[in-house]
Amino acid sequence: MAGRVRIQDVAAAAGVSVATVSNALNRPERVNAGTAARIQRIARELDYVPHHGAVDLRHGRRSAIALVIPDVTNSFYARITRGAADAAYGHGFSLVLCDSNDDAERERDFFTMLADQRAAGAVVVPRGADRQRLDGLRRRGIPLVLTDRAVPVQEGCSVAVDDVAGGRLAVEHLLAGGARRILVVNGDRAIRQCADRWQGARQAVREHRGAAVRQVSVPQMDVACGAAAVRELAELPDAVFCTNDFLAVGVVQALLARGVRVPGDITVAGFGDLDVATVSAVPLTTVRQPVEELGRAGVGLLLDEVEAVDDHTHEARQFPPRLVVRESAPRQEVLV
Amino acid sequence: MAGRVRIQDVAAAAGVSVATVSNALNRPERVNAGTAARIQRIARELDYVPHHGAVDLRHGRRSAIALVIPDVTNSFYARITRGAADAAYGHGFSLVLCDSNDDAERERDFFTMLADQRAAGAVVVPRGADRQRLDGLRRRGIPLVLTDRAVPVQEGCSVAVDDVAGGRLAVEHLLAGGARRILVVNGDRAIRQCADRWQGARQAVREHRGAAVRQVSVPQMDVACGAAAVRELAELPDAVFCTNDFLAVGVVQALLARGVRVPGDITVAGFGDLDVATVSAVPLTTVRQPVEELGRAGVGLLLDEVEAVDDHTHEARQFPPRLVVRESAPRQEVLV
């Protein structure tokens, strides 16, 4: 074997994964005793010397996990961070925050750092991470849990909110309130969340006789674009479902400015249950996502993989959102 | 000397600080060469063996700093985190996020962890941290920078926004718009920020002939309490300064509901420039704080102390806020 012996070489010689080698050397109590002894013997025979941060392996288990997110000032990612921080604290791990500031290059730097410093693992809300790069990290024995992005379950664990269910929930509520002609104000459908929420809206409408849905796509998911979407609309719908709360705030403002009553003439639902939902001129009925839970479950699955390499099974966990009913689309008896 | 030799013993023998010993052993290139050699000799003579995480000292410099905050889902702390993350990345340090979830006990655990793992240092936005505990960390050679809390400059570095200047800025703007009777809707004045913003408001009014200011204190700084503060007010002022944006949103809503025009009859200013400021029924004139800058400067001062122990001078840096003018109190010619 030419050059320095790598952990991969030990793994290949032992016929186990890199993560199992790491565990056998680092946390032997967590690996089957016979397996651990065998791997340790092979590592000695190959004269394997842990490198860099791997030094920690000799002195105790690695006690840091990383969270990679695009932007901590976005309340969605802040809530993921809160959940991840809670869970890391609960398990006695420290949490290294890797905020890429929406910069794909910085995100790549973080992945390099994770590999060099040999973090125990990472929960990743990918910005631009390509599958190849993520696979590379996994091959280096760093377990990853992806958040808010679908991933084939054989490749690793993932956690996500069920956005189809969210769109469906909102529109079913509008239909139950008596609305039949539904307008969906949506962002770019190339965005997975926008596509899923629209799909959920259509599912709800399809199951409701006499109901119809159409969609307006806006360039930015903000208050101004929400307002613009309905300001000059010739034919008003019975209800509007906006795929985020900022759009809904704008829709409500523009409707009121036209003299249309909300919810008297038109009901409106948003998505996200952000701060602005309660601050809207008419407080918003909206869909609340269990975002903290994503972070918490992400860390839970990650540590399961870190600490129980041999009997870990990857999971793709999806969390159902729930409806928060406020004035813009109040709860009503279903018309029978 | 009984028992194990501690880094404190080396520091005492060498007549230098613990941080200087740490630097001499860890980053000798950053300490005066003669000093480093002398400390290293003393450490050898005393048979000093680094403990625990101090193992890192033999293998390279410590490359993690910590950020201790009460709640990452609060946008103020999220923006501090963003600034700190940017600066840490820029300096090649990783950032360990310690989110106490507003729990003083958890905060104490983080401080213990920092001491045990010997982080290079920490930027702290204290929740319940008492001075004694913070002093204890400093004595263990862990530099701390306090954010958003005044601290005597001889004890360490600190960074804060100038809230007096912020209150002053807002009320000067309302006065320049022609208002003479100013109402301040404030939170609990036991909170340092509330007291400071009120003080700034009074300063502005004192310097304006014929102007008067009074204050209403509300139990919660939210939309409902803002609305309640003016809903049944017998004598309306010319202008309202609210010490946060949520209060201002409520004030605007309640005034509009009373048939009072904003800004036609009454101008309103908020504080914080949160998301809700632009979503308010009338977009808010408000005070924007350079919060990211707090995090960025906090990390900058910390790393200055970490990397240049011998010639570091503590600083108490204060950042000026700035006014963001929107519809609720538009810019007007000053009446001469």
Side-chain angles (χ1 to χ4, degrees), chain B residues 194-228:
Chain B
C194 292
D196 283 359
R197 290 168 196 173
W198 164 241
Q199 191 193 325
R202 280 194 309 169
Q203 283 182 5
V205 166
R206 266 203 300 273
E207 292 171 12
H208 222 93
R209 204 148 55 100
V213 66
R214 66 198 167 99
Q215 183 180 217
V216 174
S217 222
V218 296
Q220 299 290 330
M221 295 177 77
D222 59 17
V223 175
C225 286

Side-chain angles (χ1 to χ4, degrees), chain B residues 124-126 129-131 134 138 145-163 192-193 196 294 315-318:
Chain B
V124 180
V125 191
D130 52 54
R131 178 173 299 185
L134 298 173
R138 288 206 181 91
V145 174
L146 289 209
T147 297
D148 207 34
R149 181 186 292 190
V151 60
V153 73
Q154 62 274 21
E155 293 182 14
C157 289
S158 65
V159 289
V161 172
D162 187 341
D163 280 285
R192 197 265 304 155
Q193 284 81 350
D196 283 359
L294 289 185
E315 263 182 73
R317 214 177 277 177
Q318 247 195 351

